[in-house]
Amino acid sequence: MRIHKEHILRQATQLFERAFPERQIFFRTRGEVRFARLSPLFQASVSVIALGLVGWTLTASISYLTDDNRVATKQQELKYVSHELNSLLVELERLKSSALDRAERLEARQKFLEKLAPSATLKAAVSQQSNQDAAGYPLLDGPLVMRPPLNLQNTSDAADVGMDKAHETDKEPAEDDLSSTQGDRLNESARLRPSGAQWKAANFANAAMGGLVISDAQAAPTLDLRSRPSSSEAVTSISESFDLIIEKLDRVERNQNRKAQALILAEQENIERRHEVIASLGIPYDALLKKMEPQTGTGGPFTSADPSIFSKVFQKLGELVFQRSLIDQAIANIPSHIPAAKYYISSHFGARIDPFRKSWADHSGLDMAGWRGEPIMAAAAGTVVTSRRKPAYGLMVEIDHGNGFRTRYGHMRSLSVNSGEIVKPGQKIGEMGSTGRSTSTHLHWEVWFNGALVDPLPFIEAALDVQALQQGRYEEN
């Protein structure tokens, strides 16, 4: 073993001597020759120093190139993050616009539904609905918690500034610079409170669903990007909050459609009841509506409504409400007050034996016998057309009620109104008597529609129902 180590040491010594033999450098100056001796140890030291310098140069070059690649990679990552952030901001703006549009449409529908609230039948129809919407989801109660939004302009500008700094310096931003960039994204004077538009969408959703209204004092905690992992995650969180708002607005819309469906059924029932009442009077329904004049006291410039505000359900409900309003306007002119309080029917409308000639004749009205001096009242509001004596009728009053209706009151003892006078329903127009072509004290009452005589008896029989419709109390009964 000892011989082996000595052999290795001898071989190494020989290799070192061959690599670094003793050298001499000669200098000749003015004929004088000098020399400098380079020992093997000196040569080896210079070689080591030279190799060290070469190695340091290579290491520095590689490190510089590596740093450039790392900066380029960071710049690419920054561009990607900026692109993703801008995409999230665009999506956030879309969600905000969608929520506001939905809130405006639902608010218009809600106002339309509130117009129908005075009707007791419509209230009952809505109150009978279950606590689930049409899709089977339970209706929400309580306030909707909404996270506050980012300042979109500040966030976008901050991202652009951060990327510009990286391009200008061509180096990786330090941790302090990144913190500063995030700090620039905040408006320190106003810590990113929710905007009024977003509160409007959330407040309406809560109000329509019966929840508590969110006020500015009830705002969720303010947003600080420095306390979050990244601004993109913060924007994603706000985007999810808008999704919750839109989801609740969807439930509001389903709830409104459910109520509209109930109101449609109620309106259809109301229209059917009015048809039944009109049919009981013996008046053609189409003829009654055809004579309808435009509603008085209305007008103004025409401005078309946004068709997107009302869905098909609300359009159907609107059509039924308009149809019912036309019927109610027509019903308002129907004679519904019985002309006398105390009476009995002594002769019906139509064919009868004439009391004077004792032969068959057509009776043009209804004879209502009673006591002399019994007050005679207007069957409906209108204008007195005639108030004078006629041979067959005696003392007679004729009233035009509008929409094709007229009534005549004959054989009265005295008259209480004059021609051209406007009368109210149930107003006294005279007293029962036996003037004209009459056998004894009674009222001869005629009802005209579109210039033709109709039987007055159905008007007496349906008087209470017609009055209830005219006064808006029919659905309550």
Side-chain angles (χ1 to χ4, degrees):
M1 189 67 174
R2 180 178 180 81
I3 297 175
H4 181 68
K5 289 182 179 181
E6 291 178 355
H7 176 71
I8 294 174
L9 181 60
R10 187 169 53 254
Q11 292 292 330
T13 301
Q14 293 176 359
L15 181 61
F16 177 80
E17 291 176 353
R18 285 197 299 272
F20 302 102
E22 183 175 341
R23 289 183 174 85
Q24 293 177 351
I25 299 176
F26 291 90
F27 300 95
R28 184 171 180 175
T29 304
R30 298 177 182 179
E32 184 178 354
V33 178
R34 296 180 181 180
F35 68 93
R37 179 174 173 275
L38 300 178
S39 65
L41 184 58
F42 176 77
Q43 296 180 44
S45 300
V46 172
S47 298
V48 170
I49 292 173
L51 290 175
L53 290 174
V54 172
W56 178 84
T57 302
L58 292 176
T59 302
S61 300
I62 294 174
S63 177
Y64 179 79
L65 295 176
T66 302
D67 288 342
D68 283 348
N69 293 334
R70 192 152 58 94
V71 170
T73 302
K74 290 297 182 180
Q75 290 177 353
Q76 293 295 329
E77 292 178 357
L78 185 58
K79 289 181 180 179
Y80 175 78
V81 171
S82 177
H83 175 74
E84 291 296 317
L85 181 59
N86 290 334
S87 299
L88 289 173
L89 294 176
V90 171
E91 177 66 13
L92 183 62
E93 187 67 24
R94 184 192 67 81
L95 291 174
K96 183 179 73 173
S97 176
S98 176
L100 292 178
D101 291 343
R102 180 72 63 84
E104 291 177 356
R105 291 198 303 269
L106 296 182
E107 189 173 10
R109 296 178 186 179
Q110 190 71 18
K111 290 180 180 179
F112 180 73
L113 291 175
E114 290 173 357
K115 291 182 180 179
L116 306 178
S119 173
T121 301
L122 299 182
K123 286 182 179 180
V126 173
S127 63
Q128 290 175 356
Q129 298 298 318
S130 64
N131 291 327
Q132 291 184 344
D133 58 22
Y137 294 99
L139 299 181
L140 298 180
D141 293 323
L144 173 66
V145 178
M146 186 184 72
R147 297 177 185 142
L150 284 174
N151 188 323
L152 304 182
Q153 183 66 34
N154 292 348
T155 306
S156 178
D157 294 343
D160 294 339
V161 170
M163 191 164 59
D164 292 340
K165 287 182 178 181
H167 283 295
E168 292 174 0
T169 58
D170 285 336
K171 67 179 181 179
E172 180 185 4
E175 293 183 359
D176 294 340
D177 294 336
L178 292 177
S179 300
S180 175
T181 303
Q182 288 184 345
D184 292 340
R185 297 175 185 176
L186 292 174
N187 187 344
E188 294 294 339
S189 60
R191 300 288 296 277
L192 299 176
R193 305 296 297 178
S195 65
Q198 291 162 322
W199 284 123
K200 177 182 178 182
N203 279 336
F204 176 74
N206 281 282
M209 296 301 296
L212 300 176
V213 177
I214 301 177
S215 64
D216 200 24
Q218 296 171 316
T222 56
L223 177 65
D224 190 343
L225 291 179
R226 287 173 294 186
S227 63
R228 293 187 179 266
S230 66
S231 58
S232 62
E233 293 181 4
V235 176
T236 302
S237 179
I238 301 301
S239 176
E240 293 173 355
S241 298
F242 271 108
D243 288 337
L244 293 177
I245 294 177
I246 292 178
E247 180 182 354
K248 188 163 188 179
L249 291 177
D250 288 339
R251 295 193 181 185
V252 172
E253 183 174 7
R254 288 196 297 267
N255 187 38
Q256 287 184 345
N257 288 335
R258 179 179 62 86
K259 292 182 179 181
Q261 289 284 3
L263 295 176
I264 286 176
L265 296 178
E267 287 294 342
Q268 290 174 340
E269 292 178 359
N270 293 336
I271 292 175
E272 290 176 1
R273 291 172 183 172
R274 285 158 174 76
H275 285 183
E276 294 174 357
V277 172
I278 294 173
S280 68
L281 300 176
I283 301 174
Y285 172 77
D286 295 336
L288 179 64
L289 292 186
K290 187 177 181 180
K291 290 291 295 183
M292 271 300 303
E293 299 178 356
Q295 187 175 1
T296 59
T298 59
F302 173 76
T303 304
S304 60
D306 186 1
S308 64
I309 293 178
F310 295 105
S311 62
K312 293 183 179 180
V313 176
F314 277 84
Q315 291 177 5
K316 177 65 175 178
L317 178 59
E319 293 173 359
L320 292 176
V321 170
F322 178 72
Q323 183 179 356
R324 178 173 60 83
S325 66
L326 289 180
I327 299 175
D328 289 341
Q329 293 178 41
I331 290 176
N333 301 99
I334 296 177
S336 60
H337 283 73
I338 302 175
K342 298 178 181 179
Y343 71 95
Y344 67 91
I345 297 176
S346 57
S347 182
H348 288 270
F349 173 84
R352 71 171 183 176
I353 299 295
D354 184 75
F356 293 97
R357 295 190 177 187
K358 307 301 180 182
S359 62
W360 284 100
D362 286 331
H363 188 212
S364 60
L366 186 70
D367 288 344
M368 305 168 65
W371 296 101
R372 184 178 179 82
E374 176 73 20
I376 303 302
M377 297 165 287
T383 303
V384 177
V385 178
T386 302
S387 179
R388 63 185 177 86
R389 183 183 293 273
K390 280 192 173 183
Y393 290 94
L395 292 177
M396 181 202 77
V397 171
E398 181 177 345
I399 302 176
D400 183 1
H401 304 289
N403 199 31
F405 286 103
R406 288 195 177 199
T407 54
R408 288 180 182 177
Y409 311 80
H411 308 311
M412 287 191 288
R413 183 180 72 170
S414 63
L415 303 178
S416 303
V417 293
N418 300 315
S419 298
E421 185 176 340
I422 297 176
V423 296
K424 299 178 180 179
Q427 178 180 335
K428 182 180 177 179
I429 60 175
E431 295 179 353
M432 188 180 294
S434 185
T435 58
R437 193 172 184 268
S438 172
T439 59
S440 61
T441 302
H442 74 285
L443 169 68
H444 176 81
W445 185 41
E446 294 179 0
V447 178
W448 294 73
F449 178 68
N450 288 348
L453 286 163
V454 295
D455 188 358
L457 184 59
F459 290 82
I460 293 178
E461 295 174 342
L464 294 179
D465 288 338
V466 175
Q467 288 180 25
L469 286 174
Q470 291 172 340
Q471 298 172 11
R473 297 182 293 102
Y474 190 80
E475 283 74 23
E476 297 179 7
N477 298 332

